[in-house]
Amino acid sequence: MTVTYSSKVANATFFGFHRLLLKWKGSIYKLLYREFIVFATLYTAISVLYRFFLTGSQKRFFEKLSIYCDKYAEQIPVTFVLGFYVTLVVNRWWNQFVNLPWPDRLMFLISSCVQGRDEYGRLLRRTLMRYVNLTSLLIFRSVSTAVYKRFPTVDHVVGAGFMTRYERKIFDDLKSPHLKYWVPFVWFGNLASKARKEGRIRDSVDLQTLLNEMNKYRSWCSLLFGYDWVGIPLVYTQVVTLAVYTFFFACLIGRQFLDTDQGYQGHDLDLYIPIFTLLQFFFYAGWLKVAEQLINPFGEDDDDFETNWCIDRNLQVSLLAVDEMHMNLPRMEKDIYWN
Amino acid sequence: MTVTYSSKVANATFFGFHRLLLKWKGSIYKLLYREFIVFATLYTAISVLYRFFLTGSQKRFFEKLSIYCDKYAEQIPVTFVLGFYVTLVVNRWWNQFVNLPWPDRLMFLISSCVQGRDEYGRLLRRTLMRYVNLTSLLIFRSVSTAVYKRFPTVDHVVGAGFMTRYERKIFDDLKSPHLKYWVPFVWFGNLASKARKEGRIRDSVDLQTLLNEMNKYRSWCSLLFGYDWVGIPLVYTQVVTLAVYTFFFACLIGRQFLDTDQGYQGHDLDLYIPIFTLLQFFFYAGWLKVAEQLINPFGEDDDDFETNWCIDRNLQVSLLAVDEMHMNLPRMEKDIYWN
Amino acid sequence: MTVTYSSKVANATFFGFHRLLLKWKGSIYKLLYREFIVFATLYTAISVLYRFFLTGSQKRFFEKLSIYCDKYAEQIPVTFVLGFYVTLVVNRWWNQFVNLPWPDRLMFLISSCVQGRDEYGRLLRRTLMRYVNLTSLLIFRSVSTAVYKRFPTVDHVVGAGFMTRYERKIFDDLKSPHLKYWVPFVWFGNLASKARKEGRIRDSVDLQTLLNEMNKYRSWCSLLFGYDWVGIPLVYTQVVTLAVYTFFFACLIGRQFLDTDQGYQGHDLDLYIPIFTLLQFFFYAGWLKVAEQLINPFGEDDDDFETNWCIDRNLQVSLLAVDEMHMNLPRMEKDIYWN
Amino acid sequence: MTVTYSSKVANATFFGFHRLLLKWKGSIYKLLYREFIVFATLYTAISVLYRFFLTGSQKRFFEKLSIYCDKYAEQIPVTFVLGFYVTLVVNRWWNQFVNLPWPDRLMFLISSCVQGRDEYGRLLRRTLMRYVNLTSLLIFRSVSTAVYKRFPTVDHVVGAGFMTRYERKIFDDLKSPHLKYWVPFVWFGNLASKARKEGRIRDSVDLQTLLNEMNKYRSWCSLLFGYDWVGIPLVYTQVVTLAVYTFFFACLIGRQFLDTDQGYQGHDLDLYIPIFTLLQFFFYAGWLKVAEQLINPFGEDDDDFETNWCIDRNLQVSLLAVDEMHMNLPRMEKDIYWN
Amino acid sequence: MTVTYSSKVANATFFGFHRLLLKWKGSIYKLLYREFIVFATLYTAISVLYRFFLTGSQKRFFEKLSIYCDKYAEQIPVTFVLGFYVTLVVNRWWNQFVNLPWPDRLMFLISSCVQGRDEYGRLLRRTLMRYVNLTSLLIFRSVSTAVYKRFPTVDHVVGAGFMTRYERKIFDDLKSPHLKYWVPFVWFGNLASKARKEGRIRDSVDLQTLLNEMNKYRSWCSLLFGYDWVGIPLVYTQVVTLAVYTFFFACLIGRQFLDTDQGYQGHDLDLYIPIFTLLQFFFYAGWLKVAEQLINPFGEDDDDFETNWCIDRNLQVSLLAVDEMHMNLPRMEKDIYWN
């Protein structure tokens, strides 16, 4: 379920964003607390080791090592690598959202262009609409783990009413080594063409508007599929992950408080708790978590798209619009500004 | 109300932007003065504490702490994190502006394609136009806090003349667990289709142009809804906020003027007022405020979109265009360049 | 008048861009020389003050202050803030250029789709074209200071032949508290629809192509209006301006040449003229000037769009195309590659 | 074959990306291990040379050289140059993916708009579809090395059934010094026009929808061609490569562990293995590899597009859709939500 | 002629990009060698001056100056300014490529929608096509120096067969103070409209598809014109050039090897050849050259678009497609997968 907080930030107020820091759901704390515990534990372990278990010369070596690590930790370009990478991930994520297929445009057209309030007319409109929903369901099944869990087999698709038994038979009989999510669209096109011949769709203009809209819908579907199929190249993700992990590894040793008596530069204070390093952990690991969460927005994270809800909403709404509401118009009345 | 200053910067003049620094409305000062006071007060409090209340050894500890904080404050990548984040927010904000639904395109088409200067024709055009305005109103209600305050219930929508009582009854009778802002568009489509049958819309070409335009309008509406529904992931906002707040927290301690007699490097001057730290507060906090203000442009900030004004303008103008102005053409005359 | 230099850089040659450094019109020198003089004067004044008027201890204080200022000047993230901001401004500026309304697409369509070489046909085509030009003029008047100066009142619009007296009367009679630049488009739509009824436009396909094109034109107009209405949020501009001004303020003191005898680090040379600081002034202030010049491209800067020229060109060309050139075809001949 | 890992990152989990670090296929290790071995060997060689073979004064010179190199290595702006360059490459790569020509939109239209279940009708639809596939094949041959290997001559194209012998003859007879991949589209247009005359395509609306869709397909094809033809300017790629190579060259000498007895600053520890430099090699060289892999996504890298698979899939699926499935509709039944 | 190297980088191989470093044509070496020689000569001259001609105290002064210059050279934000600027230039360059007008879409439509294999039909199609090519030629003449050299006067345009003498006369007779590249499009529209009346174009649907396509073509043309007319603001280019030149000026002095005996920090090594400074020259000047080369892609650089070739190709191909190939279809045969 997407975490919506826009109403909380409608106005820019006194320390406006601080309220967001107190949320738990979808928050940085919920996403990071496990990593944070691991990091803090390791840091403490090393600190304890250094303070209590190392001999004098080991301590001297560790101190040099620590300074060495600290020096290189600063040279790792975590900020830039993350900045460029997260920008890429966020853009892809938003494009996926924008290309979620909604059948609303098609249902308006089907409701107004496929004629006949008799049973055959209703059947036509409902079937066309069902094909549209079926296609997006087939796509969602291969894109979203949540949807796949709900519809693990085509039987479940049939059972949920998206496909009839007879359609399933024809679907299964089609021999193709490739994915067949495009099949309902061929049916849609052919059925619309048939309706045109039978006069249920008035003329080619109406028909082509429908087909064009269908093709738009298909493009959304296939774009989603494409985003899933061709992700950000693995190397890029690995480069970024390596950079961040290396940085934290270097911090574990390099940000230890060293014996103030040794007089190392910048090591004249022992706070025990490396407050700024822990905060840095939050920034960088949190930034990486943004990427982790958004790189596949069809999972079950707090912030992922609710595809199962979409599927239900689309079927319910679109059948309602093309059947019950078809030509069921409110009586026209003069509005209150008439003259 | 959006703060428009473009006429002030039409020409690049001598220190052209300095005039903008003197504005109050929508300015950085108005947005930040409260945070600034808090920051300055805390800084002063710590300064007073350090100068007058700490004992010698406490002072030495504080001085070490201050140097430690200052060192890490510089390592916090506020600039980049803010740069990438604000760029993202500004892009979303502008896209929302560009996708504000304006009924002008539809009103031109309805005025020229829906025939008949008799009462039925007027009723048709006004009703179609009303459905368009009604949809955007329904969307605005769920997107904008200002509009929601004005139209807290559907009764208010009916009262303002966007919906008739009879339409409301049908609207309420539709059983759907989902939002119903698409309903007026089904009516629009069906009514247009009916008008086509009755010959008020001449042919399918005219009809489909209308329906396509309606679908464009719907896409704007649903995109606005999408921007509200799926915001920038909470984690991202939290990461940025944490980074900025941590930076200022580190500055409170790290930018204190230390006892010049102690001979700390870079601490041989005591100005009492940390002028550059305060200016930095203005840059960074101001930059974050840009994000706060734009992340939800439908609130009541000085720079937010005037949705209530839009709603009124759209209804007034669109009814005028499709009713009074329909086929009310100025007499054609030869222009002054004729031959 | 836009400064066009693309022909000067057609080929990448030996130190190719150095020729651009010698231009005056629209150049950094012309834009900045006044600020530069102010900056240099202030710098000199401070320098003279320091060298000749301060007492010994005042000098010591000033030196510390200077080092302090210099240290913080380097911490001000002018580069990034400017980089992100100017990128934003340049994108907006280019989008405004791309959305300048040109009537060419409409004039081709009107010339080929509105029939009749008789006077009524000519009147029809000219009037339609005039409405198009009128709309963009109305928009330009509210967007561009240069156009507003030329057409301060609607009388000037009538006088220049964009509107007839009769149209003006109808225009004024329309009661609306809102801007009325959309009015000529309603006339356009209705007139086209009338022409369709009278057979001057052959069928709905021709009519709808015209209306769609008109709506595109309208979208350009309203986008221009939108860019003017909703600028970059004031806070953002203020943040950037503050950052740059603060930087230069810090430089005035921090980049003084200090007494080399005092042995301050990095202060063992006295050049009198701070050549690099002056060059930095040119970069940063020049970069900010880029933003100042482009933030409103409808002013009277050297690099602003020539809206008045556009208005004249559009009217002249479009009337020529739809009237004189209508069906005035060159005799078809075989070209030289025939067979 | 594209490396798909999106299902592995569906949910943001505990150290979510670490699993990706263990993949081999398409991974940074597979891509970089050879370069890494070379780099490590050179580093070791220099290290051995310094430690065992240089005389005392040679060592001192080497140490100075090393410090000199280290100082400049840090000044090379590898991060930024790579950041900007990789962003550019990734954008181009994704645009190429988005513009891969898929015939699905066309096959829906052909299946529903080209009438006749008789042999002539089938022949028409199959031939139209074949022309579409032929065009993309011709483009792919000049763009993708993998496809070119599979279809080195036009004979292979004929042999694979994309072109008939007779078509090939006409194709070869066309005299043009330029590429002829556009020829099948002229045939497509003319054949569709002929079908319109023979009544197989019902009217101009159906015909123009087909032709528009064909033109969209052609635009995708030519855009792919354009991306191949006009790459990122060679200079840019060279600049980036030079920067990265120089950086590593500087590291080879500058990151050596120097004799700790000499007391050079930051050289009081000898770890033998320059762990952070090796990790830096992985970041930067890995980042450059991202660019290398994506700059031409039609090669045979692990992450390149499977163009040969596309070609097969498109032919098989599109012939199936326009022939076997044409008007082969499942019987309409009431769905389970009927009333 | 564009330098195409994509086939060389199809696969990511061992040190994949190093092969690119050895190319000459369009390479950084070819573009930069003159500047490089100048830079190296000046550096050597200063070095010789310092080493052999200066007196002791002059040397001391020079050394201080050198350290001063070096310090400021590092403060000049060349990387960022170049990064942002080159990104802008590259985007514009690619958009110009994408908007190069290709007549292919129009020629498909004309070939299939303008009827008649008789001489009048051929004449019609060829003339329409010629008008299209003529327009882009007129645009190219004002945009591209190479094309302008080839067609310095309208006589050359007539001579090359793009315009007939009679057309030229009408063209010249049109009285307009503005550019007249739009004139052939008015002819195109009117001629198409005439063909529609004579039944050569079947109906308004076919006609409007043609006119829409023509308008798309026109938009490409005018966008190219716009890119030429309104370039990147001169100030921006000057700022970037100044920054880079200043940096190299500072390097000339600041990167000299100083007398190691004086014990300046970081100056304990004298290599004579400032290898890293020379490499930096290659990066930064090379990066700037990328911009110089792409800022006007219609010149005669190695990497510029081959507009003259385009013009020839477009005319040849488009006349072929609409004349010889019109309705000259290969016999339809069953493909090899039939059943």
Side-chain angles (χ1 to χ4, degrees), chain A residues 62-280:
Chain A
F62 181 86
E63 282 151 8
K64 283 177 188 165
L65 184 69
S66 173
I67 289 165
Y68 175 78
C69 284
D70 192 33
K71 178 181 154 203
Y72 281 101
E74 279 167 38
Q75 280 182 20
I76 299 167
V78 192
T79 319
F80 291 99
V81 177
L82 272 174
F84 283 111
Y85 182 74
V86 168
T87 300
L88 178 65
V89 171
V90 168
N91 284 341
R92 287 176 64 94
W93 161 78
W94 186 251
N95 278 335
Q96 289 182 67
F97 175 70
V98 165
N99 284 292
L100 279 183
W102 300 101
D104 297 48
R105 293 170 67 108
L106 265 165
M107 85 194 184
F108 298 142
L109 291 175
I110 289 175
S111 182
S112 59
C113 298
V114 182
Q115 313 295 326
R117 302 191 66 175
D118 55 344
E119 187 163 288
Y120 183 69
R122 289 179 58 200
L123 198 54
L124 250 180
R125 285 191 300 272
R126 287 181 79 103
T127 307
L128 287 171
M129 214 60 244
R130 213 160 33 74
Y131 289 160
V132 169
N133 282 293
L134 176 54
T135 304
S136 45
L137 177 55
L138 292 178
I139 288 287
F140 277 139
R141 274 185 70 221
S142 60
V143 163
S144 158
T145 49
V147 175
Y148 191 78
K149 277 187 195 164
R150 183 174 158 198
F151 299 97
T153 68
V154 181
D155 285 333
H156 291 81
V157 176
V158 174
F162 284 84
M163 209 181 207
T164 66
R165 263 162 224 290
Y166 189 78
E167 284 159 9
R168 200 213 154 152
K169 203 175 157 308
I170 295 199
F171 188 82
D172 286 347
D173 286 353
L174 277 176
K175 269 174 209 80
S176 174
H178 306 291
L179 282 173
K180 287 189 284 194
Y181 68 84
W182 47 272
V183 168
F185 270 145
V186 181
W187 293 341
F188 183 103
N190 283 327
L191 187 57
S193 179
K194 186 156 162 269
R196 158 93 167 85
K197 264 180 225 143
E198 298 166 351
R200 295 287 177 159
I201 291 172
R202 214 179 276 108
D203 50 28
S204 292
V205 177
D206 285 10
L207 176 65
Q208 294 306 337
T209 311
L210 267 184
L211 294 182
N212 272 330
E213 202 57 54
M214 178 198 81
N215 261 336
K216 251 182 232 167
Y217 193 85
R218 201 208 71 86
S219 294
W220 293 330
C221 286
S222 62
L223 203 52
L224 277 198
F225 188 74
Y227 273 107
D228 185 67
W229 181 32
V230 175
I232 294 172
L234 181 59
V235 197
Y236 203 168
T237 305
Q238 285 183 328
V239 163
V240 176
T241 311
L242 263 184
V244 176
Y245 283 17
T246 306
F247 176 74
F248 287 124
F249 170 71
C251 280
L252 277 182
I253 295 171
R255 296 286 171 83
Q256 294 290 343
F257 290 100
L258 302 183
D259 189 349
T260 52
D261 296 342
Q262 299 294 324
Y264 296 110
Q265 211 202 346
H267 283 279
D268 45 8
L269 186 71
D270 188 346
L271 286 177
Y272 301 99
I273 296 169
I275 179 80
F276 290 108
T277 302
L278 296 181
L279 283 166
Q280 259 183 333

